[in-house]
Amino acid sequence: AQKVTQTQTSISVMEKTTVTMDCVYETQDSSYFLFWYKQTASGEIVFLIRQDSYKKENATVGHYSLNFQKPKSSIGLIITATQIEDSAVYFCAMREGNTGYQNFYFGKGTSLTVIP
Amino acid sequence: EAAVTQSPRNKVAVTGGKVTLSCNQTNNHNNMYWYRQDTGHGLRLIHYSYGAGSTEKGDIPDGYKASRPSQENFSLILELATPSQTSVYFCASGGWGGDQDTQYFGPGTRLLVL
C-alpha cells in the first residue's frame, strides 16, 4: 500500500500567485517526519522543508510553508508569490519513528508549471 | 553544504554486462541510499546502508548488489545488466537529528542498457 500519496499529478498557476500541493500519508507511528523535495528540469533533487509530527507550528522556509493537518494525515506544501523557477516536480516524503536508520517513503510527485 | 557526487553521470551498457555505479559523499553521514526513478513510479529504494560495511535491501533489490567500503563511498552493482534496468539512478546520504535529518541527493546517473 502506498504510504505517501500525492493525488495531483500536475498543476499550472500564474506567476506571483500562491499554490498548494497536497500530500496524505499513512503511519501507525506516534512520531514521524514529513519532507518536501523539489526536482528541477535538470534532474537535481533538493530538500525544501521538513515538519516533525510532534510540532504544532507549521514549518516555514523562505516562500515555502506547510499546512500540517495531523488529524487528516495531511501535509500540504504552500508556495507563495510563485516564480518561473518554481516550475519543477515536487515530492512529499515521510520517515517513520526513531529507528537507528532512515527509511523514507516518497510520493510520486506533483509537476508544477508556473506561467509567466 | 551537503555534497553527494555520482559517477558516471551517463552510462550505456550491453545486456549481460556488469555495471558499477559509484557514489561519494562528503557529509560524514552514516546513512546512504540508492534509488531508481522511472516515469509513473517515482523514487524506489534499491539498497541502503547505515554505515561502512553494511548494506540492506530496499524495496526492489533484485538484480542489484551494493557495497559500502567506507563512510564516504557507496556503490551499486549490476552483475548482469538487463534492459529493464534502464533508468535514472540516484544516490543519497542522510544524517541523524537536527538539520541533517533529511536526505541529500546526488545529481543522478542515466543508465541505458541495450
Side-chain angles (χ1 to χ4, degrees), chain A residues 58-112:
Chain A
N58 290 320
T60 298
V61 175
H63 76 142
Y64 303 108
S65 61
L66 297 177
N67 180 18
F68 180 39
Q69 299 184 60
K70 197 170 183 178
K72 296 184 178 180
S73 297
S74 170
I75 184 73
L77 173 68
I78 303 167
I79 306 177
T80 57
T82 51
Q83 303 161 11
I84 302 299
E85 52 266 35
D86 291 324
S87 295
V89 177
Y90 291 82
F91 292 97
C92 176
M94 175 182 66
R95 176 173 77 78
E96 291 177 312
N98 293 308
T99 54
Y101 57 90
Q102 298 167 318
N103 195 4
F104 276 66
Y105 300 95
F106 284 89
K108 294 187 177 181
T110 296
S111 176
L112 175 66

Side-chain angles (χ1 to χ4, degrees), chain B residues 1-24:
Chain B
E1 183 72 24
V4 181
T5 57
Q6 295 181 230
S7 64
R9 294 293 311 278
N10 294 280
K11 174 75 177 178
V12 179
V14 296
T15 297
K18 182 177 180 177
V19 177
T20 300
L21 307 183
S22 299
C23 178
N24 177 275

Side-chain angles (χ1 to χ4, degrees), chain B residues 33-48:
Chain B
Y33 309 79
W34 276 107
Y35 294 92
R36 63 178 284 176
Q37 185 178 38
D38 305 284
T39 303
H41 290 281
L43 288 161
R44 292 185 289 174
L45 182 65
I46 306 169
H47 283 286
Y48 62 95

Side-chain angles (χ1 to χ4, degrees), chain A residues 51-62:
Chain A
Q51 179 78 38
D52 299 347
S53 64
Y54 60 87
K55 292 185 177 179
K56 293 185 178 180
E57 286 189 9
N58 290 320
T60 298
V61 175

Side-chain angles (χ1 to χ4, degrees), chain A residues 29-41:
Chain A
D29 282 19
S30 58
S31 174
Y32 51 92
F33 306 85
L34 302 162
F35 306 81
W36 280 90
Y37 295 84
K38 172 184 179 181
Q39 186 171 30
T40 63

